[in-house]
Amino acid sequence: MSEENIGKNFIENEIDNDLKEGKYKEVCTRFPPEPNGYLHIGHAKSILLNYGLAKEYNGTFHMRFDDTNPTKEKTEFVDSILEDIRWLGADWGEHLYYASDYFDQMYEAAVKLIKKGKAYVSSLSAEQMREYRGTLTEPGRDDPDRERPMEESLALFNDMKDGKFSDGEYTLRAKIDMSSPNINMRDPIIYRIAHMTHHNTGDKWCIYPMYDFAHPIEDAIEGISHSICTLEFEDHRPLYNWVVQELEYENPPRQIEFAKMYLTGVITGKRYIKKLVEDGTVDGWDDPRLVSIAGLRRRGFTPESIRRFIELSGVSKSNSSSDYAMLEYCIREDLKASRKRLMAVLDPVELIIDNYPEEQTEELTVSNNLENQELGERKVVFSKRLWIERNDFMITPPRKYFRMFVGNEVRLMNAYLVKCTSYETDETGKVIRVHCEYDPETRGGNAPDGRKVKGTIHWVDQGSAIPAEVRLYENIVDEEAGVYNEDGSVNVNPNSLVVMDGAFVEKDIKGSKAYDSFQFVRNGFFVVDSKDSTEEHPVFNRIVSLKSSFKL
């Protein structure tokens, strides 16, 4: 391997060789999703890989919808895909295309194959076609219509186009090799009848090309140099090559396959996500528990964190899995020095400072982020009546519990040292109020006499804090029990969403808008929910906790 190839992935090495040998003058790549659902984290890898290659080689990147199947496609999915790709930072400029833009050319291509004796109209039903196809160990049998005269196939294909037949009555098949060890080459269907309204072409067509026929034609028409796709299309490559060869395209595109992105403990399959959406298990394709790109965006992940994750996952020819903890690592690294650190109490219990004057309040100056002084400072209100986290007080603490219990002194973050004196409970024994006394000489949290305290807890002022709803997320699947049940359904984690509807956040949160994110001290990174949050009822989604088990 030459020195300039060291550090490059295998696709870059192949492109380098193609350019060196003069196969292509420039690099042109594409991302070609079918608009039958929302994109997920796996698609992000393909988007960023194709866009990145075009950018690296000063080439062109095309955005194209493979909309050849109107039974599953919707304008809603088209719009969501475009939004996701823009958000990730891939720019297609003027190069936005639809497979349906080429339906006329695809029809003419099919006619050309019939005239060359390379395609024929078949009257076999779907069930009969399966019987004739053969198996992985047995060759297929010739379709009884395989030797249908060219003129007859042309006439039937024209009648198919004109709507003279019902769905499934006829298909157009490529004439290749029914004994091929590659089942994809056993006279695959290249056109079928479907009396469906298409989202882009309306009712102009009632026949539609199959993906394996349409895709290489789209690539060839657009001048794509390298058709980068995932490994499941490796067995389809001979058919891809057959189509562009038989249709005699100049400088035909080259297909190169790479390994898919697999992420541990998550669901990426569209049919599983679709079922979760339809069953109401999640509140849409953008539910923050999903790894759809829309869900990750709503959860608070940033384009930078996803790009970094894709980079760390690498590009290879071998299937492997990336740890979800690595994705969490990437978002922590992106946010920790760039976001304000605020105090929020998620499960509040009242703290009364008995010796603090009733009507007095004061403002404390607090750094917004100790790792990034450029984020400045803010003023925090302090008073007699505060909220603290319920788990920061215990009636009977275990050994090495350094937070609040009767007789113990702790530090209120950025404020004073306080000593717990008593507590109150309701009729069920639940703690509703904790009492303490503060040392006025310890403003800022340090004692003049040098005494040490081991516990520091956060708090918010009751008078100025803003009530909020906070949503805590875990993986939507129960990892211990497995992702899927025996019947194939998703094994949903009952704790995947916990709603804390009585939380309080310090006043500096006021005015924040959708997708604004913060670190809530000790609780993690949070984002303003883009769907449900309002000024009157702010909602925050936890992006990720502060602790990580992942090491780079």
Side-chain angles (χ1 to χ4, degrees):
M1 183 181 292
S2 62
E3 283 188 22
E4 64 263 25
N5 283 349
I6 295 174
K8 291 194 172 187
N9 62 52
F10 77 95
I11 296 176
E12 292 168 319
N13 290 332
E14 293 289 339
I15 293 175
D16 286 344
N17 290 334
D18 287 345
L19 293 174
K20 186 177 180 180
E21 293 171 8
K23 290 182 180 178
Y24 306 102
K25 291 181 180 179
E26 63 175 28
V27 171
C28 184
T29 62
R30 81 292 171 269
F31 176 63
E34 182 182 1
N36 63 353
Y38 281 55
L39 302 183
H40 56 67
I41 187 72
H43 294 111
K45 180 174 183 177
S46 184
I47 294 164
L48 295 172
L49 175 59
N50 278 284
Y51 177 66
L53 289 169
K55 195 172 180 182
E56 177 184 351
Y57 290 94
N58 295 313
T60 309
F61 172 71
H62 289 194
M63 173 61 216
R64 183 213 305 144
F65 287 100
D66 262 321
D67 56 346
T68 58
N69 185 2
T71 60
K72 297 179 179 180
E73 296 158 1
K74 295 180 182 178
T75 303
E76 172 197 350
F77 298 140
V78 170
D79 293 341
S80 75
I81 288 169
L82 291 176
E83 183 182 3
D84 289 345
I85 296 172
R86 283 193 196 98
W87 180 75
L88 282 171
D91 180 13
W92 58 83
E94 299 176 354
H95 299 285
L96 175 61
Y97 305 104
Y98 293 82
S100 52
D101 293 338
Y102 313 126
F103 279 171
D104 288 296
Q105 288 143 291
M106 291 176 191
Y107 178 79
E108 292 303 322
V111 168
K112 182 174 183 175
L113 290 180
I114 296 172
K115 288 181 177 178
K116 287 181 69 174
K118 297 293 185 177
Y120 60 93
V121 171
S122 170
S123 58
L124 289 182
S125 67
E127 185 178 345
Q128 289 171 323
M129 204 164 289
R130 279 192 293 272
E131 292 173 5
Y132 275 76
R133 185 179 295 134
T135 67
L136 291 172
T137 56
E138 297 177 355
R141 292 180 289 144
D142 283 356
D143 188 313
D145 297 318
R146 199 170 196 267
E147 301 306 323
R148 189 191 293 276
M150 178 263 288
E151 293 80 4
E152 189 179 325
S153 279
L154 281 175
L156 283 170
F157 190 50
N158 187 67
D159 288 345
M160 288 167 61
K161 175 178 71 72
D162 290 343
K164 295 183 179 180
F165 306 119
S166 59
D167 291 3
E169 195 170 347
Y170 288 101
T171 59
L172 182 68
R173 299 182 71 176
K175 191 175 184 179
I176 308 179
D177 182 4
M178 288 304 295
S179 63
S180 172
N182 186 337
I183 289 181
N184 296 296
M185 300 296 280
R186 294 181 187 176
D187 290 13
I189 296 172
I190 57 176
Y191 258 96
R192 81 286 201 194
I193 301 170
H195 291 271
M196 293 283 294
T197 299
H198 190 280
H199 75 95
N200 198 26
T201 60
D203 296 318
K204 178 181 177 181
W205 296 90
C206 62
I207 58 170
Y208 292 96
M210 301 298 286
Y211 175 86
D212 278 345
F213 178 65
H215 189 73
I217 294 174
E218 298 155 29
D219 285 347
I221 290 172
E222 292 179 15
I224 301 300
S225 62
H226 296 86
S227 178
I228 313 298
C229 57
T230 47
L231 278 178
E232 73 262 33
F233 292 101
E234 188 171 26
D235 289 341
H236 297 247
R237 193 196 321 147
L239 179 54
Y240 183 101
N241 293 338
W242 182 90
V243 171
V244 294
Q245 179 181 329
E246 292 297 337
L247 293 175
E248 302 168 45
Y249 288 109
E250 291 185 21
N251 299 316
R254 178 188 176 191
Q255 178 174 304
I256 302 175
E257 307 86 15
F258 69 97
K260 262 185 176 182
M261 162 91 69
Y262 289 100
L263 200 55
T264 57
V266 302
I267 303 165
T268 54
K270 281 183 184 176
R271 66 189 181 98
Y272 293 109
I273 295 176
K274 185 179 179 184
K275 182 164 175 50
L276 290 172
V277 172
E278 291 175 346
D279 291 349
T281 305
V282 296
D283 74 347
W285 290 84
D286 63 348
D287 189 291
R289 290 169 289 179
L290 301 175
V291 289
S292 61
I293 295 175
L296 290 168
R297 180 167 63 247
R298 186 178 169 197
R299 176 78 173 260
F301 282 82
T302 61
E304 294 80 8
S305 66
I306 293 176
R307 288 198 291 266
R308 178 61 173 149
F309 173 65
I310 300 299
E311 181 185 332
L312 289 174
S313 297
V315 177
S316 75
K317 195 81 174 174
S318 303
N319 284 322
S320 60
S321 294
S322 295
D323 196 332
Y324 186 80
M326 185 165 76
L327 178 59
E328 293 183 321
Y329 164 84
C330 291
I331 187 63
R332 285 191 191 95
E333 288 298 298
D334 187 43
L335 297 181
K336 68 180 183 180
S338 62
R339 297 302 189 268
K340 291 171 69 171
R341 296 179 181 178
L342 306 179
M343 293 190 288
V345 175
L346 309 191
D347 185 14
V349 65
E350 189 174 16
L351 178 69
I352 308 295
I353 306 174
D354 291 326
N355 64 334
Y356 195 90
E358 183 70 46
E359 302 302 323
Q360 180 177 322
T361 62
E362 57 184 301
E363 286 191 328
L364 306 172
T365 301
V366 177
S367 173
N368 283 325
N369 189 321
L370 293 172
E371 293 184 37
N372 183 359
Q373 295 302 322
E374 291 182 6
L375 291 179
E377 297 177 333
R378 68 186 187 281
K379 300 290 186 180
V380 176
V381 177
F382 185 83
S383 70
K384 182 183 185 75
R385 300 177 185 276
L386 310 174
W387 297 113
I388 62 170
E389 294 285 1
R390 181 168 297 281
N391 63 10
D392 279 341
F393 171 81
M394 295 191 75
I395 297 174
T396 308
R399 188 169 170 267
K400 293 189 177 181
Y401 180 84
F402 299 121
R403 284 169 278 172
M404 192 167 280
F405 55 89
V406 174
N408 193 43
E409 188 173 43
V410 300
R411 178 182 295 102
L412 295 179
M413 188 173 287
N414 301 307
Y416 294 95
L417 300 184
V418 297
K419 189 171 186 178
C420 181
T421 56
S422 64
Y423 62 92
E424 301 174 40
T425 62
D426 62 14
E427 61 276 6
T428 67
K430 181 180 180 180
V431 175
I432 57 173
R433 193 169 293 110
V434 177
H435 292 267
C436 68
E437 292 185 350
Y438 87 120
D439 181 347
E441 300 300 317
T442 60
R443 182 181 165 112
N446 296 310
D449 61 6
R451 69 183 186 274
K452 304 293 185 183
V453 296
K454 291 185 177 180
T456 299
I457 64 175
H458 66 282
W459 51 274
V460 292
D461 163 60
Q462 286 190 28
S464 61
I466 296 175
E469 177 182 320
V470 170
R471 297 171 180 175
L472 307 180
Y473 295 101
E474 294 181 5
N475 268 353
I476 195 166
V477 296
D478 188 334
E479 291 186 77
E480 290 188 7
V483 177
Y484 304 110
N485 296 310
E486 288 185 8
D487 62 1
S489 61
V490 175
N491 195 357
V492 177
N493 173 9
N495 298 315
S496 61
L497 170 61
V498 175
V499 177
M500 316 285 284
D501 201 16
F504 290 97
V505 187
E506 64 174 88
K507 65 179 178 60
D508 225 54
I509 209 77
K510 196 172 182 64
S512 57
K513 56 188 185 300
Y515 301 115
D516 284 350
S517 54
F518 311 87
Q519 183 185 138
F520 289 169
V521 173
R522 293 176 56 215
N523 282 312
F525 293 97
F526 290 77
V527 66
V528 179
D529 186 75
S530 59
K531 204 170 189 177
D532 300 327
S533 188
T534 64
E535 192 173 342
E536 297 76 27
H537 184 70
V539 178
F540 296 92
N541 302 326
R542 182 155 69 182
I543 307 168
V544 66
S545 63
L546 296 177
K547 292 183 179 179
S548 174
S549 59
F550 179 80
K551 301 294 184 205
L552 188 61

